[in-house]
Amino acid sequence: MTKRISKTNYYLNIAQECTLRGTCLRRSYGAVIVKNDEIISTGYTGSPRGRLNCCDHGQCLREELNIPSGQRYEICRSVHAEMNACIHAGRKDMLGATMYLCGVVKKTGKIFAETIPCELCKRVIINSGIDTVIIRRNEKEYEKYRVAKWAEEEPQ
């Protein structure tokens, strides 16, 4: 008998596949929103429609300015994967859904184990009605976050 992967790793694999469309030169993220075992939406990191991507420019301004991870997102050209997935879904479809998220370091192609939505993405996820976010830490391990807990926290 063939051993099947878990549903969680199945959806995380799809999120990881979405990273391949990402256009950021630092890290690429993929997000999948699932409700009742149905994919509602996917998203990846990339510039707004009609604008050039960092990969088209061949440069990352945040990297050139040595801006640390998690800071000064307003300088970035990209829309985050989490936001793109939420933008492409209706709120009524996201109520009670789960978001699966994976990040990959572009230079190495390895999973970025420290992935966590930024404060702005957390706000979008909270308002979307998503219940749980599951983040890939490596090929088999992941971490679950309850969005209601994020809503109770004050950003730092």
Side-chain angles (χ1 to χ4, degrees):
M1 186 184 273
T2 304
K3 183 169 167 58
R4 298 168 70 190
I5 65 169
S6 69
K7 281 282 178 103
T8 299
N9 276 311
Y10 168 72
Y11 289 122
L12 286 168
N13 286 350
I14 295 170
Q16 189 168 346
E17 193 71 17
C18 290
T19 69
L20 298 175
R21 286 283 304 154
T23 61
C24 178
L25 297 173
R26 286 177 116 177
R27 288 193 201 100
S28 194
Y29 293 89
V32 177
I33 300 172
V34 177
K35 183 174 180 183
N36 298 326
D37 210 21
E38 178 183 346
I39 295 174
I40 303 300
S41 181
T42 64
Y44 56 86
T45 308
S47 293
R49 281 180 168 73
R51 290 190 179 173
L52 291 175
N53 294 292
C54 291
C55 63
D56 299 324
H57 282 284
Q59 69 178 44
C60 171
L61 185 56
R62 291 181 73 233
E63 196 166 82
E64 287 179 11
L65 296 173
N66 291 317
I67 296 171
S69 179
Q71 297 178 18
R72 306 287 317 271
Y73 285 120
E74 73 277 7
I75 293 174
C76 182
R77 302 181 67 81
S78 291
V79 177
H80 293 178
E82 304 96 278
M83 288 184 202
N84 274 323
C86 289
I87 288 166
H88 296 111
R91 185 171 190 277
K92 69 179 188 316
D93 292 327
M94 291 187 284
L95 291 172
T98 299
M99 177 181 281
Y100 297 84
L101 183 63
C102 181
V104 172
V105 177
K106 278 292 192 141
K107 289 180 182 171
T108 65
K110 300 218 183 281
I111 293 169
F112 183 61
E114 293 81 30
T115 294
I116 190 81
C118 72
E119 286 302 320
L120 188 54
C121 284
K122 282 182 180 180
R123 292 179 206 156
V124 170
I125 292 167
I126 290 166
N127 276 1
S128 73
I130 289 171
D131 181 62
T132 305
V133 175
I134 300 176
I135 301 173
R136 175 160 271 174
R137 297 297 176 214
N138 60 44
E139 289 296 329
K140 294 192 174 132
E141 296 176 345
Y142 52 86
E143 196 166 349
K144 285 185 179 185
Y145 294 88
R146 294 284 173 211
V147 174
K149 189 167 175 16
W150 289 346
E152 295 169 1
E153 298 171 355
E154 283 298 317
Q156 299 171 3

